[in-house]
Amino acid sequence: MKKNRLALFMGCALSFSTQAAPPQVERDSVTFPEGTHVSYRGMFASAFPAGLPVGIGSGLLFTGREGDTLRFVTLTDRGPNADSPDVGKQASKIFVTPDFAPMLMTIRVQNGKADATDARPLHDDDGNINGLPLQKGVIGSTNEVALSDTLTVLQGDNRGLDTEGIAPDGKGGYWLCDEYGPFLIHVDQHGKILAMHGPQALNGETSLAGGLPNVLKWRQPNRGFEGVTRMPDGRIIAAVQSTLDINGKSKKQARFIRLVSFDPATGRTAMYGYPIDSEAYSKNSDAKIGDIVALDNQHLLLIEQGSDKHDVLRNLIYNVDLRQATDLAAFDKTGDYPEFDDAAKLAQRGIVLATKTQVVDLRQLGWQHEKAEGLALIDSKTLAVTNDNDFGVKTVMQNPVKGIKRKDYRVSAQGVLTVNDKPVDTTLSVAPLAPADAASEIFIVTLDKPLM
């Protein structure tokens, strides 16, 4: 358990003036007093004698105060997984605990302590769901091959979700968002799935849920909806994590990321373009959204992050103004999607993107994690940010072939690593991350002046 209060000077590159007081930061490690861990009895269980740390923080929602205690609801993503070589021409992931069910948890912060309790697995009438990729042929499939820790192929059942954001439904339940579909999922307070919405299938397509614009099927694999929030008027806004890759051709050049508005009362949708910091990245597809939270019906806070063209990590929070943003739906035409337009062409077509103002640079506040994935608004001057610790797991190459890079290996149908189609003695093991990387943290950031 640790608590560090930082008062750091913010440079003039930020939206704060040099006369403003710097933001104040309370930094707390999240503990699990119930002893909550993810049970793991697989091939490499001896490396995890207490099980795997819980990977909360993929989304964050402030739910109120109890005296001096701040209360939040958070959630996990699809569960413990780690990188592995391709299977033939298909990407793969090792799912360390294939039966893991994404879950909600409660975080309470008081007196420098942050405790996570009350685990609630997501479930439906058939029981707990899982985090395995969707099967090939349905909208939302990533075409990933799911592997066990022994590199055998796992078969999904199309009940997998990769949850990444949480917002209130105004009735005691929640709206969640997912990276696969991408889906919007309505759940009750216990995590039971009440409804799902995803890209509407066109002729010849198969979808597990509809009601959202079909163009969203072009999200990059594992970069579907990354953040979700509820506006005061009841609309749900979901943020795609990165640029769309329409027909596999637009992800590197698209100048914006889509924000999707969905009205649960009417089913009406709209889409707006969030302008990414194109000049900062080697290619536009490197930009990623971490989370979003509403300020009012036309403004929201948004985390933009990723490695810049110098391989330096960025984690920035922006105030995004949607008042003049164009609904992109009218411009979505086959062969003429706005993702292929440069700035001049967007202006010529009358497409106006959202505008934004930088609020804070998390790295200047001492943020050291690669990803900031949960963002909550406590009040007009106070934010909370969480990381995702990826359940504290990684893969390690044992006895690697000299001069061969990881990307050059393949996994055979027999679960053996090969190079140039020839079996090698190299094996893959699952190992714990360093303690600092496996930690779950929450930052409470107090600004000098109100956001609105």
Side-chain angles (χ1 to χ4, degrees):
M1 177 65 60
K2 59 183 176 181
K3 175 184 177 183
N4 296 320
R5 293 187 178 275
L6 308 176
L8 300 175
F9 175 76
M10 307 302 294
C12 58
L14 302 184
S15 60
F16 301 103
S17 73
T18 55
Q19 303 302 315
Q24 303 294 313
V25 179
E26 177 182 323
R27 176 178 177 176
D28 300 312
S29 293
V30 182
T31 61
F32 301 85
E34 295 177 342
T36 305
H37 283 80
V38 179
S39 178
Y40 172 52
R41 299 181 178 86
M43 175 65 72
F44 308 101
S46 60
F48 303 90
L52 308 178
V54 181
I56 60 169
S58 286
L60 189 68
L61 171 66
F62 177 65
T63 57
R65 298 177 183 267
E66 299 172 351
D68 295 332
T69 302
L70 302 177
R71 181 184 173 109
F72 303 86
V73 177
T74 186
L75 79 165
T76 70
D77 60 17
R78 60 182 173 174
N81 66 87
D83 293 335
S84 59
D86 292 351
V87 178
K89 296 182 178 180
Q90 288 184 272
S92 73
K93 284 283 188 180
I94 292 176
F95 285 77
V96 182
T97 56
D99 59 350
F100 177 84
M103 61 186 179
L104 306 173
M105 292 195 77
T106 298
I107 298 178
R108 292 180 176 85
V109 180
Q110 183 183 35
N111 297 328
K113 296 175 61 178
D115 296 335
T117 61
D118 193 20
R120 290 155 281 167
L122 300 185
H123 59 280
D124 56 21
D125 289 335
D126 295 323
N128 288 353
I129 65 161
N130 57 66
L132 296 178
L134 305 182
Q135 295 175 346
K136 189 174 182 179
V138 301
I139 292 177
S141 171
T142 59
N143 291 321
E144 290 175 295
V145 178
L147 300 174
S148 72
D149 59 2
T150 58
L151 302 186
T152 58
V153 176
L154 301 168
Q155 298 298 330
D157 58 5
N158 282 343
R159 296 176 68 238
L161 291 175
D162 188 0
T163 46
E164 290 289 348
I166 183 169
D169 69 354
K171 302 175 183 178
Y174 309 103
W175 283 96
L176 312 179
C177 67
D178 149 272
E179 290 202 86
Y180 285 150
F183 298 121
L184 286 175
I185 309 108
H186 189 198
V187 302
D188 68 15
Q189 61 182 321
H190 305 293
K192 181 174 182 180
I193 296 173
L194 306 175
M196 283 179 53
H197 306 274
Q200 186 68 40
L202 299 179
N203 291 339
E205 296 179 334
T206 301
S207 178
L208 301 176
L212 300 182
N214 179 266
V215 70
L216 297 172
K217 70 186 180 187
W218 296 114
R219 57 93 185 96
Q220 298 178 48
N222 295 314
R223 296 199 194 179
F225 289 145
E226 184 69 20
V228 66
T229 190
R230 181 176 184 267
M231 305 303 243
D233 61 13
R235 287 176 299 137
I236 304 301
I237 305 291
V240 180
Q241 184 178 27
S242 293
T243 53
L244 296 185
D245 195 21
I246 298 171
N247 290 317
K249 298 178 180 179
S250 66
K251 68 179 182 180
K252 295 182 180 180
Q253 69 185 82
R255 302 183 65 82
F256 60 86
I257 291 172
R258 295 205 181 208
L259 304 175
V260 182
S261 171
F262 172 72
D263 187 341
T266 64
R268 182 179 177 181
T269 63
M271 291 176 289
Y272 310 105
Y274 163 79
I276 61 177
D277 297 334
S278 295
E279 70 285 351
Y281 306 102
S282 296
K283 52 188 182 300
N284 288 349
S285 55
D286 290 340
K288 300 177 183 179
I289 289 178
D291 201 3
I292 59 175
V293 63
L295 294 174
D296 59 28
N297 286 326
Q298 298 295 338
H299 296 84
L300 53 84
L301 295 181
L302 177 151
I303 299 172
E304 180 179 335
Q305 57 193 356
S307 295
D308 69 12
K309 61 183 63 177
H310 304 294
D311 291 327
V312 176
L313 291 172
R314 314 172 76 241
N315 306 93
L316 306 171
I317 299 178
Y318 287 100
N319 185 333
V320 181
D321 187 340
L322 300 175
R323 285 177 295 181
Q324 303 301 319
T326 304
D327 184 354
L328 299 173
F331 298 89
D332 285 337
K333 299 176 182 179
T334 301
D336 197 25
Y337 289 96
E339 271 75 5
F340 294 99
D341 297 339
D342 59 19
K345 182 67 178 296
L346 289 171
Q348 180 184 0
R349 297 178 71 180
I351 297 175
V352 178
L353 303 180
T355 58
K356 65 183 187 181
T357 304
Q358 185 174 312
V359 174
V360 69
D361 182 337
L362 289 172
R363 302 205 80 79
Q364 291 191 18
L365 294 183
W367 185 266
Q368 297 179 353
H369 303 282
E370 176 186 355
K371 298 174 289 185
E373 293 211 0
L375 177 63
L377 184 67
I378 297 173
D379 56 43
S380 64
K381 293 176 58 177
T382 314
L383 314 174
V385 183
T386 52
N387 71 305
D388 173 8
N389 69 352
D390 291 327
F391 293 86
V393 298
K394 64 180 179 179
T395 50
V396 178
M397 307 294 289
Q398 305 288 350
N399 193 28
V401 179
K402 187 175 181 179
I404 299 298
K405 298 179 180 179
R406 180 188 287 256
K407 66 181 181 64
D408 295 324
Y409 290 92
R410 295 292 181 271
V411 179
S412 73
Q414 293 74 38
V416 174
L417 293 184
T418 66
V419 175
N420 296 325
D421 296 326
K422 295 181 179 180
V424 294
D425 292 332
T426 307
T427 59
L428 206 62
S429 64
V430 176
L433 290 173
D437 295 327
S440 293
E441 288 193 317
I442 184 167
F443 269 37
I444 308 297
V445 181
T446 303
L447 306 175
D448 174 65
K449 57 184 178 182
L451 288 157
M452 295 296 295

